[in-house]
Amino acid sequence: MNMTQEMLEILIGKYLDGEITPSEQHILQTELDCNPKAKELLEQLQDLHERSCQAVASEIIERGKDTGEIFEQAWQRQAANPLHRVLKMNGWLRFAAGLAAGLIIGLMLHFVLPLISTTQSLDVPANIVAKNANNRMDAEQQTYPQPLINPAGNSLRNVDWYSFTDNQGNQWLVEGLRENTVRPAVYYGDL
Amino acid sequence: MTTERRQNESALVCAAQRSDKEALQRLLTRNWPWLKGLVYSILGDADQVDDVLQDICVRVITKIDSLREPERFRPWLAVLARRMALRHRQRNARRPGLLSEEIAELQPDEKAQQLFEKIEQKEQCRRILQAVRLLPEKYRQVFMLAYAGDLTYANIAEVLDIPVTTVQIRLVRARRMVYDRVSGKKEVRCVRNEYDTGNA
């Protein structure tokens, strides 16, 4: 029977590990009977197997602390950590805690947000026309900003219009720019 | 038998999920040998194994209730253990089998075969363990689970989440590599070559 090296090693390995089936054992036995090299390989691997068992036992299994001791230390460690206790809360408790936290945050936002918006609105400067309480036009003293647009072209500008009567009875039409600046737009003597 | 063991283990997992300390301890004790072997296969240092095992225990205690399939406890534990051991190894920045001394010791010389006959059992064990440390990780894990955990091929396959045939092949190759290193890379090769020639 022609058996590959790896196949033979697998069968020997199964034999050493006690995993060989009767039919496989029969195949292995036949091979061992007819080929002395296979027998030699079995002896070598068997020797290695036994020494490996001893080596692993002495290095790992028989060394180190007892299982119970390690477990007990681990148990005490996790019991001492409050975070672990929180994580161990059951599902309903965690849900309730989450709900409560959400409610608190929601209420805080509900009361704090309007306060913030009110504070910001107080900072807006009052309209210049409203400030002019004694009904005087001090437009001549102001330096007006140059228009940024080409006067020859069409333009769109956001403005408010105000009607104004001065002390002499002249009527003014005042163009109030949304940028909080005031400039006279048109003056008609007989208006 | 395996089904009975698995059912028993699943029952222990369910009890452990209800914070039953005794069940948890029994569960870990049952799986202790292979767990130790797996951690050793990653760390390559027996002195550090206990520290990592304690960390694993803490992790299991806190996370056992997140395990949804109790019958998959072993693969879950293996993944957790591997992760913890790798983290520990990275933290200590000491990779197994990378020390030049160890490699130098394993270089075969002309007298290795003669000396091999004379060295004591302890020395042989040490050489085997060094050879195991130098195995590629996937072979080392299978080797350690087979020898430290005393697990069947099916159990190793379950723990590592690989097919049984892969376990068989990895174990055979691991043994061959260990033997080659321990014996100075001659004996098995020699026999193998002769064997192949004879067969051919």
Side-chain angles (χ1 to χ4, degrees):
Chain A
M1 185 183 175
N2 194 6
M3 191 186 287
T4 62
Q5 173 70 24
E6 190 152 78
M7 189 62 204
L8 178 68
E9 286 185 23
I10 287 173
L11 287 180
I12 292 174
K14 281 183 156 189
Y15 169 72
L16 296 173
D17 296 323
E19 297 258 349
I20 199 162
T21 61
S23 60
E24 286 171 338
Q25 190 158 9
H26 179 71
I27 296 168
L28 179 64
Q29 192 59 54
T30 312
E31 188 68 19
L32 292 172
D33 290 343
C34 69
N35 197 326
K37 299 293 176 194
K39 205 167 183 177
E40 195 180 339
L41 187 64
L42 171 66
E43 283 166 9
Q44 287 174 349
L45 291 175
Q46 198 159 19
D47 181 49
L48 175 74
H49 179 71
E50 284 162 12
R51 283 191 286 129
S52 298
C53 287
Q54 287 170 2
V56 171
S58 65
E59 173 76 358
I60 302 163
I61 299 167
E62 292 161 13
R63 259 178 84 168
K65 292 178 193 166
D66 178 49
T67 316
E69 190 185 342
I70 292 177
F71 178 80
E72 202 56 47
Q73 284 171 351
W75 186 267
Q76 283 167 8
R77 248 177 71 186
Q78 71 86 30
N81 192 339
L83 182 67
H84 289 164
R85 259 175 284 164
V86 172
L87 292 173
K88 291 284 277 182
M89 286 196 306
N90 69 37
W92 282 108
L93 212 57
R94 264 187 277 188
F95 174 74
L99 196 66
L103 272 172
I104 291 167
I105 292 169
L107 284 170
M108 277 171 63
L109 290 175
H110 178 75
F111 287 112
V112 173
L113 278 180
L115 280 176
I116 292 169
S117 59
T118 312
T119 316
Q120 282 174 349
S121 63
L122 289 174
D123 296 338
V124 178
N127 192 304
I128 195 160
V129 175
K131 270 184 181 176
N132 202 350
N134 57 0
N135 221 10
R136 279 196 178 181
M137 185 64 203
D138 52 357
E140 286 170 9
Q141 294 165 11
Q142 288 184 355
T143 53
Y144 300 114
Q146 293 296 317
L148 296 173
I149 51 166
N150 182 1
N154 295 325
S155 66
L156 286 171
R157 193 184 289 161
N158 290 325
V159 292
D160 292 321
W161 298 95
Y162 300 94
S163 176
F164 176 70
T165 308
D166 64 12
N167 293 338
Q168 284 79 39
N170 297 320
Q171 282 191 318
W172 297 73
L173 186 64
V174 180
E175 180 187 338
L177 292 175
R178 291 276 167 87
E179 292 81 13
N180 294 324
T181 59
V182 178
R183 63 189 282 259
V186 186
Y187 171 67
Y188 300 104
D190 57 348
L191 193 69
Chain B
M1 186 71 184
T2 312
T3 316
E4 194 184 329
R5 180 197 60 78
R6 189 171 288 192
Q7 281 173 351
N8 202 351
E9 198 159 271
S10 299
L12 282 174
V13 171
C14 292
Q17 286 179 329
R18 294 190 298 269
S19 300
D20 183 341
K21 186 182 170 185
E22 198 184 331
L24 199 55
Q25 186 167 3
R26 277 177 64 191
L27 202 56
L28 284 166
T29 308
R30 274 182 174 205
N31 293 286
W32 203 253
W34 70 258
L35 196 61
K36 217 170 175 180
L38 184 66
V39 171
Y40 178 85
S41 75
I42 295 167
L43 298 177
D45 184 357
D47 294 333
Q48 296 178 38
V49 169
D50 282 352
D51 293 339
V52 177
L53 284 172
Q54 197 184 104
D55 290 344
I56 292 168
C57 284
V58 172
R59 202 78 173 159
V60 170
I61 293 165
T62 54
K63 294 280 176 189
I64 187 82
D65 51 354
S66 69
L67 176 62
R68 292 187 179 177
E69 297 171 77
E71 65 278 7
R72 301 262 308 154
F73 175 72
R74 281 186 174 191
W76 177 80
L77 182 60
V79 169
L80 195 144
R82 206 177 305 149
R83 204 175 294 162
M84 300 289 285
L86 285 170
R87 201 178 296 167
H88 187 87
R89 192 176 74 180
Q90 280 172 350
R91 220 167 30 216
N92 290 3
R94 184 184 183 278
R95 290 168 184 276
L98 291 184
L99 294 177
S100 54
E101 294 170 16
E102 287 177 353
I103 293 166
E105 277 182 68
L106 289 170
Q107 295 302 315
D109 61 7
E110 290 176 2
K111 294 179 181 177
Q113 204 162 345
Q114 293 170 358
L115 289 169
F116 185 71
E117 303 295 329
K118 297 174 186 175
I119 52 175
E120 296 170 5
Q121 191 181 333
K122 202 174 176 183
E123 176 65 11
Q124 287 178 353
C125 290
R126 194 184 63 81
R127 287 173 72 98
I128 287 172
L129 289 169
Q130 281 182 332
V132 171
R133 271 184 228 135
L134 290 172
L135 288 174
E137 193 156 322
K138 60 182 181 181
Y139 296 110
R140 197 165 62 232
Q141 282 182 359
V142 173
F143 189 92
M144 289 310 299
L145 288 176
Y147 283 98
D150 199 21
L151 298 178
T152 62
Y153 291 168
N155 288 340
I156 296 172
E158 183 196 1
V159 165
L160 296 179
D161 210 11
I162 52 175
V164 175
T165 47
T166 309
V167 173
Q168 289 171 359
I169 290 169
R170 282 187 190 174
L171 194 53
V172 163
R173 289 181 185 168
R175 274 200 187 109
R176 190 191 301 159
M177 283 187 262
V178 169
Y179 197 91
D180 282 354
R181 287 215 165 98
V182 170
S183 62
K185 296 187 180 180
K186 282 182 183 174
E187 291 186 17
V188 167
R189 284 267 165 77
C190 188
V191 171
R192 194 186 307 142
N193 290 342
E194 286 172 31
Y195 179 83
D196 284 342
T197 315
N199 264 350

